[in-house]
Amino acid sequence: MSLSNRDPLVVGRVVGDVLECFTRSIDLRVTYGQREVTNGLDLRPSQVANKPRVEIGGEDLRNFYTLVMVDPDVPSPSNPHLREYLHWLVTDIPATTGTNFGNEIVTYESPRPNSGIHRIVLVLFRQLGRQTVYEPGWRQQFNTREFASLYNLGLPVAAVFYNCQRESGCGGRRS
Amino acid sequence: MLFSAKHQRNNRVSATNKNKTLNKVSSISSAPPLSQDSQKRSLVTMEDVWEDINLGSIQSQHPQGNHEPRFSSHNHQSQNPNSIFQDFLNRPLNQEPTIPTIGSSSNGDTTTVTALFSSSPLPPPATVLSLNSGAGFEFLDNQDPLVTLNPNLHSHHQLNTPFEALVTTTCFGKKRGRESNEEGSGNRRNKRMIKNRESAARSRARKQECASPPLLTFFLKNGFCQQKAYDLIKGFMGFDSHLQAYTNELELEVAHLQAENARLKRQQDQLKMEAANQQPKKNTLQRSSTAPF
């Protein structure tokens, strides 16, 4: 059962800009403080300053997962020539646990968009086994699809995204 | 659920007819009778109003000249609160509105709604469909609508002139060299328009909540500003989804308990039978005299 056309990931063009169409198979819960991230939620930089609590589903502790957090709208959604910006990369997360149990390859950097309203996407991949993942040389121009094919991660098993804009933004409305 | 089923049917029928002409009317007139019945009822429910809003939008539709008001509404949302409603119309349904009974929609209640929307016509379905299919910008690539839209954009252009003057002189003037003002400004206008459209598409994509349209009309008509209406509906949607989740869990629990109950009953019967079978075997030990003394 693939994503429907009305799925928020499709409507928000996350599937297309960042990911291929996939089928959700693992639960992914991302919580910033008290707020659980639902697709399309609006958050400000102050609310995402610290890394979120991430809990994943699955059943077998012997399965390991990789979490990627990217911003595909850098530097601005109307001109994303630095797509994507890698904010966080955690590997070897055992099923049913969270990012605290994984290997933080790229440390969490809080999103602080300067221009426009950016989508921040968190993607979960299933690893074939415990594997060594090398951190990329820089955060920008990251390509989630290439990364997944490079480490044989296949299609995502879960994804969620939220919107982030400047603290003093107007929510996309002009005057 | 009936509500969404109606629209799904209409979507299928209307999607096959890209020409917004009589073709559509004839094809949809053979579509579900439900919409026609609703027209005949004197009491108009919110769902009827919703459908009439949609047909009012198609009624006043033309291929050209529709993007101008749309963009002016995006830029000046305070002036036209219905523009946001248009967004909601486009977004949740994401399909071409129905035009079942254009001729016969002359109820007193519905004409006001259609009149409301004929004043600010919705964009053609190409834009509506574009959101789903991801081919939203094939419309932009097509040069014809851009050409035909230019005359309509003159009034729109006036509003942008100071901004464009700034942009053109600083960025385009220097980088692109001295173009003749006419051609250059036309290009810049087009580019600006394309950028506006992309931004509008992004903002539509951001609006993830498929708010129930009747609820939204209710709020808007009763004087809530669209932002407040939005927030209230988000709250309701939250309740909705929580209730649904709770109900689902309860149903699962009930099913689980029923299964367990059945299992225990079977087990009990089994044990009873075994006990009954074993009863005659009791008292088999009897004392008999074996010793001679």
Side-chain angles (χ1 to χ4, degrees):
Chain A
M1 187 188 62
S2 200
L3 298 177
S4 83
N5 274 345
R6 301 182 60 162
D7 192 290
L9 288 174
V10 178
V11 174
R13 302 304 304 148
V14 170
V15 167
D17 292 344
V18 183
L19 307 173
E20 299 299 322
C21 196
F22 66 96
T23 306
R24 286 192 181 86
S25 54
I26 301 288
D27 291 334
L28 175 65
R29 258 181 65 127
V30 180
T31 316
Y32 278 102
Q34 286 303 312
R35 279 178 207 83
E36 181 180 342
V37 172
T38 50
N39 284 315
L41 183 69
D42 287 298
L43 294 170
R44 297 295 164 118
S46 56
Q47 298 167 323
V48 299
N50 298 317
K51 67 172 78 164
R53 188 173 82 245
V54 177
E55 294 156 349
I56 68 175
E59 286 164 357
D60 195 341
L61 273 178
R62 292 168 295 180
N63 293 331
F64 296 99
Y65 294 85
T66 295
L67 180 80
V68 182
M69 177 168 157
V70 291
D71 178 349
D73 297 325
V74 285
S76 122
S78 58
N79 187 13
H81 58 268
L82 295 177
R83 172 174 287 179
E84 309 147 16
Y85 189 90
L86 180 64
H87 280 278
W88 201 22
L89 179 57
V90 187
T91 63
D92 295 339
I93 307 169
T96 74
T97 66
T99 45
N100 297 330
F101 296 79
N103 203 359
E104 195 176 19
I105 305 285
V106 174
T107 53
Y108 179 81
E109 182 181 306
S110 82
R112 275 179 314 175
N114 206 11
S115 154
I117 303 181
H118 295 214
R119 297 163 295 175
I120 313 288
V121 188
L122 291 112
V123 196
L124 193 69
F125 292 98
R126 177 156 165 202
Q127 296 171 206
L128 295 173
R130 287 191 98 106
Q131 58 186 118
T132 314
V133 173
Y134 294 101
E135 60 170 319
W138 45 86
R139 291 179 185 252
Q140 50 262 51
Q141 308 266 310
F142 185 77
N143 190 318
T144 307
R145 285 182 176 101
E146 275 178 20
F147 175 80
S149 71
L150 182 63
Y151 290 103
N152 287 316
L153 297 173
L155 288 177
V157 295
V160 74
F161 82 99
Y162 61 90
N163 293 317
C164 188
Q165 61 178 295
R166 299 174 58 154
E167 204 69 47
S168 57
C170 59
R173 286 181 291 278
R174 290 190 228 171
S175 56
Chain B
M1 294 306 111
L2 182 66
F3 179 66
S4 60
K6 265 194 242 174
H7 281 280
Q8 280 171 12
R9 268 191 294 248
N10 293 332
N11 181 27
R12 253 207 322 277
V13 177
S14 53
T16 58
N17 293 310
K18 289 267 180 180
N19 295 326
K20 311 165 249 323
T21 56
L22 295 171
N23 276 346
K24 216 179 231 189
V25 181
S26 58
S27 66
I28 291 190
S29 58
S30 59
L34 286 168
S35 47
Q36 291 176 3
D37 282 343
S38 67
Q39 290 299 322
K40 288 171 189 168
R41 276 185 241 129
S42 53
L43 261 180
V44 179
T45 65
M46 280 312 291
E47 298 194 1
D48 303 330
V49 172
W50 172 240
E51 286 203 67
D52 294 326
I53 290 167
N54 286 338
L55 71 89
S57 72
I58 278 285
Q59 188 177 10
S60 53
Q61 240 178 43
H62 298 289
Q64 53 266 38
N66 271 332
H67 276 271
E68 190 266 306
R70 181 170 175 81
F71 281 102
S72 65
S73 67
H74 264 282
N75 292 336
H76 308 282
Q77 290 186 353
S78 55
Q79 291 178 12
N80 194 357
N82 296 318
S83 63
I84 298 303
F85 193 13
Q86 292 172 21
D87 288 343
F88 272 98
L89 285 178
N90 290 334
R91 257 241 64 260
L93 296 188
N94 249 343
Q95 55 211 335
E96 299 191 2
T98 67
I99 41 162
T101 53
I102 286 181
S104 64
S105 70
S106 51
N107 297 350
D109 295 358
T110 57
T111 42
T112 53
V113 177
T114 55
L116 198 68
F117 278 86
S118 52
S119 62
S120 55
L122 290 179
T127 319
V128 175
L129 286 174
S130 71
L131 194 56
N132 256 347
S133 59
F137 305 123
E138 64 186 4
F139 181 79
L140 297 172
D141 292 342
N142 185 2
Q143 284 300 311
D144 290 339
L146 287 179
V147 168
T148 56
L149 275 166
N150 269 335
N152 293 326
L153 278 175
H154 274 301
S155 58
H156 178 56
H157 179 59
Q158 293 304 316
L159 303 164
N160 277 346
T161 309
F163 172 72
E164 280 205 51
L166 261 177
V167 172
T168 55
T169 52
T170 56
C171 304
F172 295 91
K174 283 179 186 172
K175 288 183 183 174
R176 309 278 164 93
R178 301 273 163 196
E179 299 180 77
S180 70
N181 274 345
E182 295 167 10
E183 292 175 4
S185 65
N187 279 344
R188 286 190 289 271
R189 217 180 301 156
N190 285 344
K191 283 197 169 68
R192 188 71 218 149
M193 185 167 63
I194 291 170
K195 283 205 143 199
N196 275 342
R197 290 206 191 127
E198 289 176 4
S199 165
R202 273 197 303 274
S203 119
R204 279 194 300 274
R206 264 199 303 277
K207 288 184 183 174
Q208 295 290 341
E209 298 79 6
C210 41
S212 56
L215 201 55
L216 182 64
T217 4
F218 173 77
F219 282 135
L220 288 176
K221 279 189 175 172
N222 282 284
F224 285 89
C225 76
Q226 51 95 4
Q227 178 59 36
K228 183 72 180 168
Y230 204 133
D231 288 342
L232 283 167
I233 287 167
K234 267 200 263 191
F236 283 119
M237 294 298 293
F239 273 124
D240 254 353
S241 60
H242 282 127
L243 281 174
Q244 186 63 36
Y246 187 56
T247 312
N248 287 344
E249 296 228 14
L250 285 177
E251 282 176 5
L252 278 172
E253 190 69 25
V254 163
H256 180 246
L257 287 171
Q258 276 174 343
E260 202 177 323
N261 199 22
R263 183 177 62 81
L264 287 170
K265 275 200 176 137
R266 275 198 304 273
Q267 204 176 20
Q268 191 187 29
D269 289 338
Q270 214 177 16
L271 285 172
K272 266 190 193 163
M273 271 181 46
E274 282 177 18
N277 287 343
Q278 281 177 4
Q279 286 238 326
K281 293 184 192 168
K282 275 188 192 173
N283 306 324
T284 54
L285 283 175
Q286 284 173 358
R287 226 180 117 78
S288 57
S289 57
T290 49
F293 50 85

